[in-house]
Amino acid sequence: MKCFSGSKLATKSSLRFPPLLFPNKPISSAVTAAARFSSLASRSRWICTYSDASRSSPGSVSLSNRDQYFSTMAGAEEFVKGNVYPNGVAVITLDRPKALNAMNLDMDIKYKQILEEWESDPKVKCVLIEGSSPRAFCAGGDVKQITCKNTLSDMIEVFTAEYSLICKISEYRKPYISFMDGITMGFGIGLSGHGHYRVVTERTVLAMPENGIGLFPDVGFSYIAAQTPGGGSVGAYLGMTGKRISTPSDALYVGLGTHYVPSGNLASLKEGLLASTLSEDPHNDVAALLAKYSSNPESEAQLKLLLPQITSCFGADKSVKEIIEELKKHQQSTEASVVEWANDALQGLGKGAPFSLCLTRNYFSRVASGYGKHGNEFTALKGVMTTEYRIALRSSLRNDFAEGVRAVLVDKDQNPKWNPPSLDEVDQKEVEAVFEPLGPGIEELKV
């Protein structure tokens, strides 16, 4: 999640999208673009950084402005710690517990540098990623004050760092193991969900609540969603409603987790990994070790039980309005569990910005429809991230983002004034426009 300053100028309906991001509004260079947005900075109201977890529930802990300022001043070396053990197991520890291990720009860069060094180091056989505390693996992105300059070039730097890191993880040539213990939201899913081995515990909490602050579920979640049951319907449901997954059975069913290991066994699993003699095929060694320590969840996946209803509502051919109408039908069900699910889903959709909901629906449908088809740009994650980069640059500059952050995280009145304010007023041409190639002078994502 990224929080930028909310410019007063951006509240005008005419500034839904900056013209310079579109090919029919040429600019001479990215520097020109940066200068243009720099002019907004003096009239901006600074909004401090937050992690995804801080906006997803009233009981979450967020840092004070002062604490956040000083925490982001610390170097990435302090927050991203890499160690290589004698047997070739390399461990990255996210150690920023006061911010629930939220990632800032320097941490993104450091993380990727470490992975690149280890990938070419023959002494390193596999990589383990963990958080330093049981509360959180990673609560999301916490980009340090892009608002300090409020320039397009800053946003380009941040999204390039995040998205190129995600692509690196997805194509990593050595076993990549994530201990997703505790809160794992937003960019936390980006760091773990695209890796080989994804270990969840009974303390794991997964969510993508970005629509609730006027953004959209990014970090390649659309690609993960496309592979979920129901032809991607379950992933679309999670992305659109921001629904939390808090049981190992659901995490495994969706595919966000590959193994369930009770939290009490994580230390033993790590000790076993560090004590292992890894062969020329460390994937086999890691798989065998995970099989030894993993368990079957005690409960059945609730999402599996609700799959018929989820598919009927969130199939790729449904518009947002059609989804809502279908959910209202399920509110009349004779099954209490279905009624509860439908009520909860409608409540989740009700928190999202109308434009964000339409954008997410369109985007996830495109990826789900294209996934697995030869020659389609969305068959590979790189193609997804290229499109996502365009969407992210444009969405982060819309008024809805600044307004969502204000209402949910700053003033906390939970009463955002979205623009447009209703689904009926969303311009579908404007939704389609976010997918267009970037304008002259702004390069596409390089991964």
Side-chain angles (χ1 to χ4, degrees):
M1 133 62 182
K2 305 105 191 137
C3 292
F4 310 112
S5 64
S7 169
K8 294 178 180 178
L9 293 183
T11 61
K12 296 181 179 179
S13 60
S14 61
L15 194 60
R16 287 181 181 175
F17 283 120
L20 57 92
L21 286 174
F22 295 90
N24 60 346
K25 298 288 184 179
I27 56 171
S28 59
S29 68
V31 174
T32 304
R36 178 169 182 168
F37 279 90
S38 180
S39 68
L40 300 181
S42 62
R43 283 167 277 193
S44 292
R45 166 183 176 188
W46 303 118
I47 298 175
C48 57
T49 56
Y50 293 80
S51 68
D52 290 88
S54 68
R55 68 173 178 269
S56 62
S57 73
S60 300
V61 176
S62 61
L63 301 178
S64 68
N65 292 4
R66 179 180 178 277
D67 287 341
Q68 288 175 18
Y69 174 78
F70 285 110
S71 69
T72 57
M73 294 299 288
E77 298 282 348
E78 179 183 348
F79 299 140
V80 180
K81 299 176 179 178
N83 291 292
V84 179
Y85 289 82
N87 69 337
V89 175
V91 180
I92 289 180
T93 302
L94 302 180
D95 190 18
R96 196 183 178 197
K98 289 184 178 180
L100 302 179
N101 295 330
M103 298 283 289
N104 62 35
L105 176 60
D106 291 338
M107 292 170 70
D108 296 342
I109 294 171
K110 180 61 179 178
Y111 195 118
K112 187 166 182 277
Q113 287 176 342
I114 292 174
L115 287 183
E116 289 174 339
E117 290 173 7
W118 288 350
E119 193 170 33
S120 60
D121 186 346
K123 297 190 296 296
V124 174
K125 303 298 183 183
C126 72
V127 175
L128 169 65
I129 315 299
E130 64 178 2
S132 61
S133 84
R135 289 198 62 201
F137 165 68
C138 174
D142 188 9
V143 181
K144 69 171 187 178
Q145 297 289 5
I146 282 191
T147 53
C148 289
K149 293 184 180 179
N150 194 37
T151 65
L152 179 60
S153 59
D154 289 320
M155 300 177 198
I156 288 172
E157 183 179 25
V158 169
F159 287 118
T160 298
E162 286 194 0
Y163 292 0
S164 63
L165 173 54
I166 288 170
C167 289
K168 167 58 67 177
I169 290 168
S170 73
E171 299 177 345
Y172 208 61
R173 295 196 298 269
K174 298 178 179 181
Y176 181 98
I177 311 155
S178 303
F179 281 1
M180 302 161 70
D181 190 29
I183 295 171
T184 306
M185 296 184 182
F187 196 39
I189 289 178
L191 294 178
S192 55
H194 301 285
H196 301 118
Y197 306 100
R198 307 179 294 278
V199 178
V200 297
T201 74
E202 76 283 357
R203 297 186 299 214
T204 301
V205 179
L206 304 159
M208 293 294 296
E210 287 78 7
N211 281 333
I213 58 163
L215 207 54
F216 74 104
D218 65 335
V219 302
F221 186 71
S222 62
Y223 189 74
I224 296 172
Q227 303 169 61
T228 60
S233 297
V234 174
Y237 156 65
L238 297 171
M240 291 189 69
T241 64
K243 175 66 176 177
R244 286 184 170 199
I245 291 179
S246 55
T247 64
S249 54
D250 278 337
L252 296 180
Y253 177 67
V254 172
L256 286 171
T258 57
H259 297 79
Y260 163 55
V261 176
S263 59
N265 294 342
L266 276 185
S268 297
L269 170 57
K270 182 179 178 181
E271 289 172 6
L273 187 61
L274 296 179
S276 296
T277 300
L278 299 175
S279 66
E280 291 302 311
D281 188 357
H283 276 289
N284 282 339
D285 304 322
V286 170
L289 195 64
L290 287 172
K292 177 181 177 180
Y293 286 95
S294 62
S295 305
N296 292 319
E298 296 179 359
S299 61
E300 189 173 1
Q302 290 301 302
L303 293 176
K304 182 177 182 180
L305 299 176
L306 291 163
L307 182 60
Q309 291 78 19
I310 294 174
T311 303
S312 73
C313 293
F314 292 89
D317 59 336
K318 292 284 198 304
S319 68
V320 181
K321 289 182 182 179
E322 289 171 336
I323 289 171
I324 292 173
E325 289 305 311
E326 197 69 22
L327 285 169
K328 288 179 178 178
K329 293 178 184 178
H330 287 301
Q331 285 182 309
Q332 310 305 316
S333 173
T334 57
E335 298 180 48
S337 60
V338 173
V339 173
E340 181 181 1
W341 169 78
N343 290 339
D344 184 69
L346 284 167
Q347 184 178 12
L349 290 174
K351 294 178 181 179
F355 187 90
S356 294
L357 293 175
C358 293
L359 168 59
T360 300
R361 172 71 283 181
N362 188 317
Y363 179 40
F364 277 44
S365 293
R366 290 185 186 213
V367 178
S369 298
Y371 179 77
K373 294 182 179 178
H374 180 71
N376 190 283
E377 61 184 314
F378 298 133
T379 294
L381 180 63
K382 281 188 176 181
V384 172
M385 299 312 298
T386 297
T387 297
E388 195 156 289
Y389 181 72
R390 300 169 183 168
I391 301 172
L393 289 181
R394 289 163 173 149
S395 295
S396 64
L397 294 172
R398 296 189 76 256
N399 171 67
D400 277 352
F401 187 27
E403 173 61 7
V405 171
R406 180 207 64 75
V408 177
L409 300 176
V410 181
D411 297 339
K412 299 183 180 180
D413 58 25
Q414 309 301 321
N415 187 31
K417 300 296 187 289
W418 303 124
N419 184 15
S422 69
L423 292 172
D424 288 333
E425 296 172 88
V426 174
D427 185 347
Q428 295 303 320
K429 291 182 180 180
E430 205 168 309
V431 173
E432 295 289 336
V434 303
F435 297 93
E436 294 178 12
L438 298 172
I442 304 178
E443 295 183 347
E444 299 285 353
L445 179 67
K446 290 183 176 180
V447 290

PDB file of all heavy atoms in Angstrom, residues 65 82 87 180 206 245 261 302:
ATOM      1  N   ASN A  65       2.519   9.922  13.811  1.00  0.00           N
ATOM      2  CA  ASN A  65       3.270  10.598  12.751  1.00  0.00           C
ATOM      3  C   ASN A  65       4.742  10.720  13.104  1.00  0.00           C
ATOM      4  O   ASN A  65       5.623  10.518  12.286  1.00  0.00           O
ATOM      5  CB  ASN A  65       2.688  11.992  12.510  1.00  0.00           C
ATOM      6  CG  ASN A  65       1.306  11.928  11.912  1.00  0.00           C
ATOM      7  OD1 ASN A  65       0.754  10.853  11.740  1.00  0.00           O
ATOM      8  ND2 ASN A  65       0.751  13.086  11.604  1.00  0.00           N
ATOM      9  N   GLY A  82      19.985  -9.983   6.135  1.00  0.00           N
ATOM     10  CA  GLY A  82      20.288 -11.198   5.390  1.00  0.00           C
ATOM     11  C   GLY A  82      21.446 -11.963   6.000  1.00  0.00           C
ATOM     12  O   GLY A  82      22.473 -11.372   6.336  1.00  0.00           O
ATOM     13  N   ASN A  87      25.325 -24.343   5.788  1.00  0.00           N
ATOM     14  CA  ASN A  87      24.794 -25.383   4.897  1.00  0.00           C
ATOM     15  C   ASN A  87      24.171 -24.832   3.616  1.00  0.00           C
ATOM     16  O   ASN A  87      23.592 -25.577   2.824  1.00  0.00           O
ATOM     17  CB  ASN A  87      23.759 -26.247   5.635  1.00  0.00           C
ATOM     18  CG  ASN A  87      22.480 -25.482   5.949  1.00  0.00           C
ATOM     19  OD1 ASN A  87      22.477 -24.253   6.028  1.00  0.00           O
ATOM     20  ND2 ASN A  87      21.387 -26.209   6.123  1.00  0.00           N
ATOM     21  N   MET A 180       4.711 -17.217   6.432  1.00  0.00           N
ATOM     22  CA  MET A 180       3.662 -16.185   6.433  1.00  0.00           C
ATOM     23  C   MET A 180       2.918 -16.199   7.770  1.00  0.00           C
ATOM     24  O   MET A 180       1.692 -16.289   7.820  1.00  0.00           O
ATOM     25  CB  MET A 180       2.714 -16.420   5.259  1.00  0.00           C
ATOM     26  CG  MET A 180       3.429 -16.420   3.920  1.00  0.00           C
ATOM     27  SD  MET A 180       2.502 -17.222   2.577  1.00  0.00           S
ATOM     28  CE  MET A 180       1.174 -16.056   2.335  1.00  0.00           C
ATOM     29  N   LEU A 206      -4.671 -12.972   5.979  1.00  0.00           N
ATOM     30  CA  LEU A 206      -4.408 -12.523   4.616  1.00  0.00           C
ATOM     31  C   LEU A 206      -5.523 -11.604   4.135  1.00  0.00           C
ATOM     32  O   LEU A 206      -6.700 -11.867   4.386  1.00  0.00           O
ATOM     33  CB  LEU A 206      -4.330 -13.727   3.675  1.00  0.00           C
ATOM     34  CG  LEU A 206      -3.300 -14.816   4.038  1.00  0.00           C
ATOM     35  CD1 LEU A 206      -3.664 -16.131   3.376  1.00  0.00           C
ATOM     36  CD2 LEU A 206      -1.910 -14.377   3.626  1.00  0.00           C
ATOM     37  N   ILE A 245      -8.775 -13.629   5.018  1.00  0.00           N
ATOM     38  CA  ILE A 245      -8.644 -15.070   5.196  1.00  0.00           C
ATOM     39  C   ILE A 245      -7.897 -15.280   6.497  1.00  0.00           C
ATOM     40  O   ILE A 245      -6.770 -14.810   6.665  1.00  0.00           O
ATOM     41  CB  ILE A 245      -7.856 -15.708   4.036  1.00  0.00           C
ATOM     42  CG1 ILE A 245      -8.673 -15.643   2.750  1.00  0.00           C
ATOM     43  CG2 ILE A 245      -7.482 -17.146   4.354  1.00  0.00           C
ATOM     44  CD1 ILE A 245      -7.961 -16.223   1.547  1.00  0.00           C
ATOM     45  N   VAL A 261       1.731 -25.169   8.701  1.00  0.00           N
ATOM     46  CA  VAL A 261       2.590 -25.602   9.803  1.00  0.00           C
ATOM     47  C   VAL A 261       2.126 -24.864  11.058  1.00  0.00           C
ATOM     48  O   VAL A 261       2.150 -23.629  11.078  1.00  0.00           O
ATOM     49  CB  VAL A 261       4.078 -25.286   9.531  1.00  0.00           C
ATOM     50  CG1 VAL A 261       4.939 -25.659  10.740  1.00  0.00           C
ATOM     51  CG2 VAL A 261       4.559 -26.026   8.281  1.00  0.00           C
ATOM     52  N   GLN A 302     -14.092 -22.886   4.366  1.00  0.00           N
ATOM     53  CA  GLN A 302     -15.415 -22.284   4.209  1.00  0.00           C
ATOM     54  C   GLN A 302     -15.622 -21.763   2.792  1.00  0.00           C
ATOM     55  O   GLN A 302     -16.737 -21.796   2.270  1.00  0.00           O
ATOM     56  CB  GLN A 302     -15.590 -21.141   5.220  1.00  0.00           C
ATOM     57  CG  GLN A 302     -15.703 -21.608   6.655  1.00  0.00           C
ATOM     58  CD  GLN A 302     -16.880 -22.550   6.857  1.00  0.00           C
ATOM     59  OE1 GLN A 302     -18.022 -22.188   6.578  1.00  0.00           O
ATOM     60  NE2 GLN A 302     -16.601 -23.744   7.351  1.00  0.00           N
TER      61      GLN A 302
END
